[in-house]
Amino acid sequence: MEENYVLKMENVSKIFPGVRALDGVRLEVRRGEIHALIGENGAGKSTLIKILSGIYHPDGGEIYIDGNKVEMSDVRTAREHGIAVIHQELSLAENMTVAENIFLGRMPGKRNGFVDDKLMEEKAREFLDAIGLTSVDPSTKVKKLSVARQQMVEICRALSQEIKILVMDEPTASLANRETETLLELMRSLKQKGVSIIFVSHKLNEVYQVCDRITVLRDGVYIGTGTVEEIVYDKLISMMVGRKIESVFPAHETRPGETFFEARDICSSRVKNVSFYLRKGEVLGFYGLVGSGRTETMRALLGIDRNTKGDVTLNGKKIRLNSPVDAVNAGIVLAPEDRKLEGLILKQTLDFNITVTILKKIIKGLRLNRKKSNEAVENIGARLRIKTPSYETKAVNLSGGNQQKVVLAKWLVTEPVILILDEPTRGIDVGAKQEIYNLIYEIVKMGVSVILISSEMPEVIHLCDRVYIMREGEMVAALDREELTEEAIMRNAIGGC
């Protein structure tokens, strides 16, 4: 075993009923490097991580730590070998404090057997300060924090342990730009201290910013490893999807017509006098940094948030949107940012999720018109190319990209005139993103105008006909397609000269 490798996983295999999740996979991580583990959803990344952390037992292969073969029999064994994992799904105790979560299972005690809360909070303060959470009180209950801050608490918990290998599974998915920069800088600092980091992310720009080497998996198989200089962006995409992609974004296809929708002076507790218009057959972008008010504008428009006001005109007639039901009845629907929490009922089947919005159309009296229901599901499922063994499959068992398609299907069966997409590609891999981009243009061909809210600048530049820029709850700029450059968008988003 080479001396500079802290971890070697060789010929690792894992079989679930009917599925070979991993087939002879390898992963080699050097001491003090940041190593990206990349692949589309379903590539086997999470399975490999769970084997390394002792959650799953492999059906074949070996694991070496510092040159010594080890058996990761359980999570405790992994911790004893200095392995800490920050999973994509948070595992915090929401009713406990920040400090208690950081030191869960390792709380410092007093001689009388009670927990030394003061000492624990002092130690927690050190970790919070180290990652830039200076404003968070260690005695605050976790449930009172935003998702982004809960993610940072999870990171603090990992850092509070003696670690050799830190695995970070999509750690920046819910973080704002400033928090992301803080985290990337923290990763560099840990690297300097000799900690090895396995970094899983769909945000490839972050991979190239912070990583030393990249390992690519595809369909449970090892594809290759190389430095970030060797595996350039186009090559990485090709390795991930198994085919060459000339461009992730499709050619711009829309030809907007006349204005048919206007919103004037939309206000709520978080947005101030926002006005905009939408044309037929248009993809209209909303861009801004986290907290700029993009999503809040749409929530105010649709009557989701209370104490809102503003004037809305559709096809020349003034309409009132006092609730989401009013909006749906008017043909204006929202595919929310958090598809798992707000967009889907994960434990229900696909056909249930898709038809829940049109129950009035497919139920007569107390009986479901199964023929009409099946036709609606199969037609929209085929049009959106939802990949599933059956529409009786539960939504929780689909990949992120296919879950997003089900959310789209759920609203498209209502035959809307406006579809609002809030971060439609968050947390899905590059191949699935490309499918969603193509679907956006297909949706426009169905006669639906699209409002695209995105924090990914390339998406709004390549997909949109116009883009509104928001900052601190206000509309600060409107850019036509020929004006859409990264410099122009960011200058307006951050308020620079």
Side-chain angles (χ1 to χ4, degrees):
M1 299 291 294
E2 292 88 340
E3 191 173 322
N4 64 334
Y5 284 108
V6 66
L7 168 69
K8 272 201 170 189
M9 302 179 75
E10 296 183 343
N11 202 32
V12 176
S13 298
K14 180 65 180 177
I15 301 172
F16 296 107
V19 178
R20 181 176 287 273
L22 296 175
D23 187 3
V25 168
R26 58 186 290 196
L27 175 65
E28 299 176 339
V29 180
R30 292 170 179 161
R31 185 172 287 101
E33 80 164 342
I34 303 176
H35 193 113
L37 180 61
I38 301 297
E40 296 189 86
N41 289 342
K45 308 184 300 294
S46 294
T47 302
L48 189 66
I49 288 170
K50 288 177 179 178
I51 288 173
L52 176 61
S53 59
I55 296 174
Y56 289 163
H57 297 282
D59 295 312
E62 296 81 37
I63 301 175
Y64 297 86
I65 303 290
D66 290 328
N68 301 310
K69 186 176 179 179
V70 298
E71 297 290 337
M72 293 298 179
S73 54
D74 53 31
V75 173
R76 178 172 292 183
T77 302
R79 287 177 184 161
E80 289 172 352
H81 285 285
I83 299 169
V85 181
I86 301 169
H87 295 283
Q88 187 173 2
E89 301 296 333
L90 301 181
S91 59
L92 299 172
E94 291 192 343
N95 288 315
M96 298 181 75
T97 69
V98 169
E100 288 168 342
N101 270 279
I102 291 174
F103 294 102
L104 194 61
R106 301 170 291 112
M107 296 180 186
K110 298 179 180 178
R111 291 182 180 179
N112 57 12
F114 290 95
V115 173
D116 190 336
D117 290 315
K118 183 178 179 181
L119 176 61
M120 182 171 63
E121 289 176 7
E122 287 175 354
K123 289 185 175 181
R125 176 80 275 152
E126 294 176 8
F127 292 108
L128 292 168
D129 289 347
I131 65 170
L133 287 184
T134 55
S135 62
V136 173
D137 187 335
S139 65
T140 301
K141 287 192 175 181
V142 161
K143 65 181 179 183
K144 295 183 178 180
L145 301 180
S146 66
V147 173
R149 290 193 167 189
Q150 288 182 20
Q151 176 79 52
M152 300 296 270
V153 171
E154 187 96 63
I155 292 167
C156 282
R157 182 162 68 185
L159 297 179
S160 69
Q161 307 169 45
E162 290 292 327
I163 53 174
K164 292 180 182 177
I165 302 168
L166 176 62
V167 184
M168 309 180 85
D169 189 358
E170 298 286 354
T172 65
S174 59
L175 301 186
N177 290 356
R178 184 177 299 176
E179 293 165 331
T180 295
E181 286 302 320
T182 299
L183 179 60
L184 297 182
E185 190 56 43
L186 177 64
M187 291 168 63
R188 296 184 185 101
S189 175
L190 290 171
K191 170 186 168 180
Q192 293 299 318
K193 295 176 182 177
V195 175
S196 300
I197 299 173
I198 299 173
F199 183 52
V200 180
S201 179
H202 288 307
K203 297 182 179 180
L204 301 185
N205 60 317
E206 294 174 1
V207 169
Y208 284 101
Q209 280 183 59
V210 77
C211 293
D212 300 296
R213 293 193 302 147
I214 301 170
T215 288
V216 181
L217 305 184
R218 184 175 73 241
D219 297 328
V221 176
Y222 171 81
I223 301 301
T225 299
T227 66
V228 291
E229 292 80 16
E230 293 168 339
I231 304 180
V232 296
Y233 182 84
D234 288 345
K235 182 178 180 181
L236 177 57
I237 300 300
S238 178
M239 292 172 72
M240 288 172 63
V241 302
R243 61 189 185 276
K244 188 174 182 180
I245 296 182
E246 297 297 336
S247 174
V248 174
F249 295 96
H252 195 81
E253 298 179 6
T254 54
R255 297 290 185 271
E258 62 185 12
T259 297
F260 77 107
F261 176 85
E262 291 185 77
R264 300 185 190 91
D265 298 322
I266 301 298
C267 295
S268 73
S269 61
R270 302 179 70 178
V271 296
K272 312 166 193 173
N273 300 313
V274 175
S275 299
F276 65 95
Y277 67 91
L278 178 65
R279 298 175 292 182
K280 290 183 178 180
E282 181 174 38
V283 179
L284 176 65
F286 270 73
Y287 183 85
L289 304 180
V290 172
S292 63
R294 302 163 306 174
T295 298
E296 290 76 11
T297 295
M298 298 306 152
R299 290 177 62 89
L301 173 71
L302 301 179
I304 298 172
D305 290 341
R306 295 182 178 180
N307 301 318
T308 62
K309 62 179 182 178
D311 295 324
V312 179
T313 303
L314 179 64
N315 291 323
K317 296 181 179 179
K318 189 172 180 179
I319 61 173
R320 296 185 64 84
L321 303 179
N322 295 320
S323 70
V325 173
D326 291 341
V328 173
N329 290 337
I332 306 170
V333 297
L334 167 68
E337 176 181 4
D338 193 333
R339 60 178 172 270
K340 292 184 178 180
L341 182 63
E342 299 177 329
L344 296 169
I345 304 173
L346 290 173
K347 294 185 179 180
Q348 287 288 354
T349 61
L350 271 62
D351 56 4
F352 179 92
N353 273 282
I354 292 172
T355 58
V356 71
T357 55
I358 55 168
L359 291 178
K360 288 183 179 180
K361 295 181 180 180
I362 60 175
I363 292 179
K364 286 190 176 182
L366 298 176
R367 298 189 64 181
L368 172 68
N369 187 327
R370 176 60 66 181
K371 181 180 178 182
K372 188 176 287 188
S373 174
N374 289 344
E375 285 178 355
V377 170
E378 289 171 6
N379 286 341
I380 196 65
R383 191 142 192 189
L384 298 187
R385 298 183 291 280
I386 298 173
K387 296 177 183 176
T388 177
S390 162
Y391 291 111
E392 294 295 321
T393 300
K394 290 184 178 180
V396 70
N397 295 322
L398 296 186
S399 67
N402 280 295
Q403 286 180 347
Q404 185 64 53
K405 290 181 184 180
V406 175
V407 175
L408 297 181
K410 163 186 170 180
W411 290 115
L412 289 173
V413 293
T414 68
E415 299 180 348
V417 293
I418 299 173
L419 173 62
I420 303 169
L421 300 175
D422 194 352
E423 299 286 6
T425 63
R426 172 160 288 178
I428 62 178
D429 57 68
V430 68
K433 281 185 177 182
Q434 190 180 40
E435 278 199 83
I436 297 297
Y437 298 153
N438 285 316
L439 284 177
I440 288 174
Y441 287 149
E442 286 193 31
I443 289 167
V444 171
K445 291 176 183 176
M446 295 179 193
V448 182
S449 296
V450 173
I451 296 176
L452 173 64
I453 304 171
S454 178
S455 58
E456 295 197 27
M457 198 180 299
E459 289 186 354
V460 296
I461 289 175
H462 287 88
L463 297 173
C464 296
D465 299 293
R466 291 181 301 122
V467 176
Y468 288 107
I469 314 295
M470 295 198 64
R471 184 174 70 244
E472 297 178 358
E474 297 186 54
M475 184 81 72
V476 295
L479 303 178
D480 290 328
R481 180 158 182 79
E482 58 270 17
E483 300 174 297
L484 293 178
T485 65
E486 290 191 10
E487 181 182 0
I489 292 173
M490 188 53 67
R491 183 172 62 247
N492 284 289
I494 66 177
C497 300

